[in-house]
Amino acid sequence: MKTFRNTFHYFSIFLLSLFLIVNPLGIIQIPTNQVQAQSAPRPYVVFVNGQGNCCAWGMISLRDRLMNELGAEIRYVPYSNFRDGGLSGGGNAYDWSSVDTQFLRSGADFINNQLDRNRPLILIGHSFGGDSILSLIPRINRRIQFVAVIDPVAAGALRQTIVQGQSVPSNVDYFFNRWQENSPWPIDFSSSGQILSCHANSQGRRNCDQESQNIARNADFSPITRECRWDEAIACPGSSLFPPRTGRVQVRVSHQDLPRDAYLQKILGDRIIAQSASWSSLRPMTPSTQPARGVRQSAVGLRGIVHLQNIGDVSFQGSTFAGTRGESRRLEGFSLAIADGTPNLGIQYMAHLQDIGDTPWVNGGQFIGTRGQSRRLEGFAIRLTGSAATNYNIRYICHLQNIGDTPVRSNGEFCGTRGESRRLEGLQVWIERK
């Protein structure tokens, strides 16, 4: 027995020594996102389904991301009551009514009187669930960090009842609204879903992010396509009779598909994660250190201007976002230059213009686009020049009509669209050292 104890003792010393060699500080390392989640109040996320218990609960990739990156606690409720995991219509999953009296009463009581006010609150609803959320938020007497509605529908399966009758109050930090214009539901699906009375704001910055999305997209922004049907063959891109060839068309999202769209879930997750940096309950910051949404640090100084519809030239510098979000305002031209005189480093860019197409590449400091012609930019590309260019990567995103922010593009890659008549509304550029 004594021999066994000695053997176990020496074996334990060996294991401890091995651990200290591999990790000399003797610290058990926890992933950064877990540390942040454990050191801050957990966000409380409520997914609200619409009729037939569809379809906010199906936003699985978004749910998993919020749990992994923010440590979020998830609650699933229907539009008609606030019971976690409950069915719509008081137990009937296919109740076509939109009565949400119980949802409003129970939801307001829980959020106002039971939920820790220091916990960030995120509300996400689809269809009737989006309408119920919009009816709930004026009853909430605390700060609401994020509200997202996906193709919200009111009683009678109408969109315009929401557009004209609902309002987003100022206790909401960020409002995200997406709708489709392809098919019922709602009955008036071809009309705009933009909420006219939106007062969401954070730190004096208006945050009403409202766009339509009609094309199904992968998480990397690439459109999802399918083979053309026989009755589409004549007008289908890429189809021909001789030689026989079947073309492909972009898939258009439906009311039920939109919440589960991979790109919508990604961009909504991006917005929530970015907005979380300003939640004082998660990361207390002084006003001088609060980052604007989407700001990246550039290793090389930049300056430029954008020319905006009904505004004119607007200057920007560094890596700040230039343009607008949620205002349906076209960007008509821009210029960009290296601002800090980095030796042997230059910049060039081109653009795709409405009714003109691709422009030639121009050197930094030159304006590209138009003024006074009401002509939209639809895309652009940027690249670095000079012997020092091999030491850097230039990165950029653009904000597109009915799509929102694109994934990051780099080093001459095109950002935007061609042939879709889709306006560019903003851009953001920064340079990273390799």
Side-chain angles (χ1 to χ4, degrees):
M1 189 70 179
K2 182 178 180 180
T3 303
F4 172 78
R5 288 198 194 97
N6 288 339
T7 302
F8 180 78
H9 173 73
Y10 290 123
F11 182 69
S12 300
I13 293 176
F14 170 74
L15 290 178
L16 178 61
S17 301
L18 180 63
F19 173 75
L20 292 174
I21 291 173
V22 175
N23 187 0
L25 295 179
I27 299 173
I28 298 175
Q29 298 179 349
I30 302 174
T32 303
N33 62 336
Q34 293 183 24
V35 172
Q36 292 173 344
Q38 293 170 7
S39 62
R42 298 173 64 194
Y44 197 84
V45 182
V46 183
F47 286 91
V48 186
N49 265 349
Q51 185 275 331
N53 269 20
C54 181
C55 300
W57 297 9
M59 303 175 77
I60 304 301
S61 63
L62 174 63
R63 178 205 66 187
D64 291 348
R65 184 177 179 190
L66 297 181
M67 292 176 65
N68 292 333
E69 297 190 33
L70 296 180
E73 180 180 352
I74 306 298
R75 184 186 184 108
Y76 288 127
V77 303
Y79 73 90
S80 57
N81 62 74
F82 207 73
R83 292 195 301 271
D84 193 8
L87 295 178
S88 60
N92 178 6
Y94 295 96
D95 182 358
W96 285 84
S97 71
S98 60
V99 177
D100 53 10
T101 305
Q102 185 180 351
F103 173 91
L104 299 178
R105 182 175 59 250
S106 301
D109 176 69
F110 175 81
I111 293 171
N112 290 332
N113 302 318
Q114 301 177 50
L115 183 65
D116 184 349
R117 300 179 76 87
N118 291 320
R119 296 185 68 179
L121 175 62
I122 302 169
L123 303 175
I124 302 170
H126 169 245
S127 190
F128 282 167
D131 181 46
S132 293
I133 284 177
L134 290 168
S135 297
L136 173 66
I137 54 180
R139 302 167 182 243
I140 304 304
N141 59 20
R142 55 157 283 172
R143 184 180 174 198
I144 306 172
Q145 277 68 26
F146 204 102
V147 172
V149 294
I150 314 300
D151 215 10
V153 179
L158 294 174
R159 173 179 291 164
Q160 286 307 299
T161 305
I162 295 175
V163 168
Q164 300 177 21
Q166 294 285 20
S167 178
V168 181
S170 58
N171 64 318
V172 175
D173 283 0
Y174 196 102
F175 179 62
F176 180 97
N177 178 19
R178 292 294 184 272
W179 63 91
Q180 56 83 31
E181 301 162 328
N182 296 321
S183 60
W185 296 80
I187 294 174
D188 52 349
F189 64 90
S190 60
S191 63
S192 171
Q194 182 172 343
I195 307 295
L196 300 179
S197 178
C198 179
H199 307 284
N201 73 90
S202 176
Q203 302 161 7
R205 185 173 62 250
R206 183 171 175 266
N207 290 322
C208 297
D209 183 354
Q210 305 191 76
E211 302 277 358
S212 65
Q213 178 180 334
N214 293 310
I215 302 299
R217 296 184 182 275
N218 296 302
D220 65 358
F221 183 65
S222 61
I224 297 174
T225 63
R226 61 169 176 81
E227 284 192 351
C228 298
R229 301 187 304 267
W230 67 269
D231 58 326
E232 301 171 322
I234 296 177
C236 182
S239 293
S240 69
L241 295 175
F242 304 103
R245 184 170 60 246
T246 301
R248 300 188 68 83
V249 293
Q250 294 181 345
V251 175
R252 303 185 75 82
V253 292
S254 68
H255 175 72
Q256 291 82 5
D257 294 335
L258 188 56
R260 295 185 285 255
D261 181 81
Y263 183 70
L264 183 141
Q265 292 190 68
K266 178 186 181 301
I267 204 70
L268 177 53
D270 289 347
R271 296 286 196 278
I272 294 173
I273 300 300
Q275 187 67 14
S276 71
S278 66
W279 295 344
S280 59
S281 57
L282 281 177
R283 299 183 182 92
M285 295 181 291
T286 62
S288 62
T289 61
Q290 291 171 343
R293 176 165 65 99
V295 170
R296 281 96 166 176
Q297 295 299 317
S298 183
V300 175
L302 294 169
R303 68 172 184 273
I305 63 168
V306 291
H307 186 79
L308 302 176
Q309 173 189 357
N310 297 333
I311 292 179
D313 288 357
V314 177
S315 299
F316 68 93
Q317 59 183 355
S319 54
T320 55
F321 177 82
T324 60
R325 290 183 173 101
E327 297 184 18
S328 301
R329 191 185 305 277
R330 65 180 173 268
L331 192 153
E332 299 177 348
F334 72 94
S335 69
L336 190 63
I338 304 294
D340 60 3
T342 301
N344 303 314
L345 185 65
I347 194 169
Q348 291 183 336
Y349 38 90
M350 56 78 64
H352 184 82
L353 301 179
Q354 172 189 355
D355 300 329
I356 293 177
D358 288 358
T359 69
W361 289 86
V362 302
N363 292 320
Q366 296 185 46
F367 181 80
I368 192 169
T370 60
R371 292 182 174 98
Q373 298 183 21
S374 300
R375 190 186 305 277
R376 64 181 174 267
L377 246 73
E378 298 179 350
F380 65 89
I382 309 174
R383 65 191 182 193
L384 297 174
T385 62
S387 59
T390 56
N391 300 324
Y392 300 94
N393 288 314
I394 188 161
R395 314 284 195 195
Y396 41 94
I397 65 168
C398 52
H399 185 83
L400 298 177
Q401 170 190 358
N402 298 339
I403 291 176
D405 289 358
T406 66
V408 175
R409 308 300 186 197
S410 305
N411 302 327
E413 293 179 332
F414 184 75
C415 186
T417 61
R418 293 181 173 98
E420 297 185 18
S421 300
R422 190 184 306 279
R423 67 178 171 268
L424 182 76
E425 298 179 349
L427 56 83
Q428 185 178 13
V429 186
W430 66 101
I431 296 175
E432 297 175 352
R433 189 180 297 276
K434 291 183 178 177

